[in-house]
């Protein structure tokens, strides 16, 4: 069965600093991996997804993630944090049949002015 | 194009009661998934419906059931409510139909409180 683990439930960065949110996956087959963002009192919005086409995936709002099979990781990065990036971020993995989804416990990102 | 909508926004129920939550899919989407998100946790997959049939299920008891209608809208029913059922319930629609790489579009959720 697939699963994801997010390291660090809270991350704080200064405005303009690098954002790094960590996600490790467990899967016996090549995974389909996703990063979602959730703003307060809202649903989830897709940032980016990995579907084996390219290991470096670019998403919306300047975010990107790199799939590293050797490390079973799919960390989310952004070169320069903005105040508007403050939110909850979730890593997720889908089953190969697309009928099961597993989310991590989330990382709350705080951006300090 | 309208997005995914959910009703009601908030709901308060008493332990032992039954509740029905509703979701309208994004136009053209034939697959709906439901999630439970407890406070401070990630969403937990409840089940998925594709063309009116349950297509996948997470680790939830049978008192969690669902329906998908011909217009692809959906309901989540929970019987015999327990205090631990208090959570945000999220609905997501997609064109997945068993394809894992399709994007899911999430609604804003229904906040259920069980007292």
């Amino acid at each position: 069965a697939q699963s994801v683990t997010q390291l660090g439930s809270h991350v704080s960065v200064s405005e303009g600093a690098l954002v790094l949110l960590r996600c490790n996956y467990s899967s016996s087959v090549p995974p389909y991996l996703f990063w979602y963002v959730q703003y307060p009192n809202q649903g989830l919005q897709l940032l980016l997804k990995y579907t084996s086409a390219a290991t470096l995936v670019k998403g919306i709002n300047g975010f990107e993630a790199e799939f590293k099979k050797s490390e079973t990781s799919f960390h989310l990065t952004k070169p320069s944090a903005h105040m508007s990036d403050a939110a909850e971020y979730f890593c997720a993995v889908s089953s190969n049949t697309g009928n099961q989804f597993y989310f991590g416990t989330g990382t709350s990102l705080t951006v300090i002015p | 194009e309208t997005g995914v909508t959910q009703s009601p926004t908030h709901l308060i129920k008493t332990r032992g009661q039954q509740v029905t939550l509703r979701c309208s899919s994004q136009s053209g989407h034939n697959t709906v998934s439901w999630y439970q998100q407890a406070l401070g946790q990630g969403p937990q997959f409840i089940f998925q419906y594709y063309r009116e049939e349950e297509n996948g299920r997470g680790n939830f008891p049978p008192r969690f059931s669902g329906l998908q209608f011909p217009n692809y809208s959906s309901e989540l029913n929970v019987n015999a409510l327990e205090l631990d059922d208090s959570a945000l319930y999220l609905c997501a629609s997609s064109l997945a139909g068993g394809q894992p790489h399709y994007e899911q579009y999430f609604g804003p959720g229904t906040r259920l409180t069980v007292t």
Side-chain angles (χ1 to χ4, degrees):
Chain A
Q2 288 93 342
S3 66
V4 289
T5 301
Q6 292 184 242
L7 300 175
S9 57
H10 293 88
V11 171
S12 293
V13 299
S14 297
E15 190 175 14
L18 171 72
V19 176
L20 171 61
L21 305 182
R22 300 178 187 275
C23 174
N24 288 87
Y25 69 89
S26 172
S27 176
S28 58
V29 297
Y32 292 89
L33 294 161
F34 306 80
W35 275 100
Y36 284 86
V37 62
Q38 185 177 34
Y39 297 100
N41 301 314
Q42 294 187 27
L44 280 72
Q45 180 184 13
L46 180 69
L47 283 174
L48 49 80
K49 61 182 179 183
Y50 169 75
T51 59
S52 76
T55 56
L56 183 62
V57 181
K58 295 187 182 298
I60 63 171
N61 302 337
F63 284 94
E64 62 182 36
E66 186 172 8
F67 174 74
K68 292 187 176 180
K69 185 178 179 180
S70 61
E71 300 177 7
T72 61
S73 69
F74 189 57
H75 301 332
L76 182 70
T77 60
K78 181 174 181 178
S80 177
H82 294 165
M83 296 298 295
S84 60
D85 294 328
E88 190 82 17
Y89 292 81
F90 295 96
C91 181
V93 63
S94 167
S95 66
N96 274 28
T97 51
N99 62 351
Q100 298 267 354
F101 288 85
Y102 306 92
F103 281 82
T105 52
T107 297
S108 177
L109 175 66
T110 299
V111 182
I112 303 167
Chain B
E1 181 180 271
T2 56
V4 178
T5 60
Q6 294 185 242
S7 62
T9 305
H10 296 86
L11 201 53
I12 299 175
K13 288 286 189 178
T14 303
R15 188 171 49 185
Q17 286 187 317
Q18 179 266 343
V19 68
T20 297
L21 310 182
R22 295 178 174 81
C23 171
S24 291
S25 303
Q26 184 156 317
S27 178
H29 286 184
N30 57 17
T31 302
V32 174
S33 299
W34 284 91
Y35 296 85
Q36 180 194 67
Q37 186 178 19
L39 199 61
Q41 301 295 316
Q44 298 292 312
F45 176 71
I46 303 175
F47 45 57
Q48 181 185 91
Y49 276 80
Y50 170 58
R51 293 185 176 177
E52 303 178 55
E53 297 284 335
E54 187 178 291
N55 187 46
R57 190 177 184 93
N59 190 27
F60 279 81
R63 60 189 185 84
F64 286 79
S65 63
L67 283 173
Q68 188 182 30
F69 300 100
N71 66 354
Y72 301 134
S73 65
S74 176
E75 287 182 355
L76 165 65
N77 299 289
V78 186
N79 293 323
L81 283 167
E82 301 177 359
L83 296 179
D84 285 348
D85 295 333
S86 295
L88 180 69
Y89 288 84
L90 295 166
C91 165
S93 74
S94 71
L95 286 167
Q99 302 299 317
H101 55 281
Y102 279 94
E103 177 177 353
Q104 293 187 89
Y105 292 80
F106 282 81
T110 293
R111 173 74 62 187
L112 173 65
T113 301
V114 182
T115 61

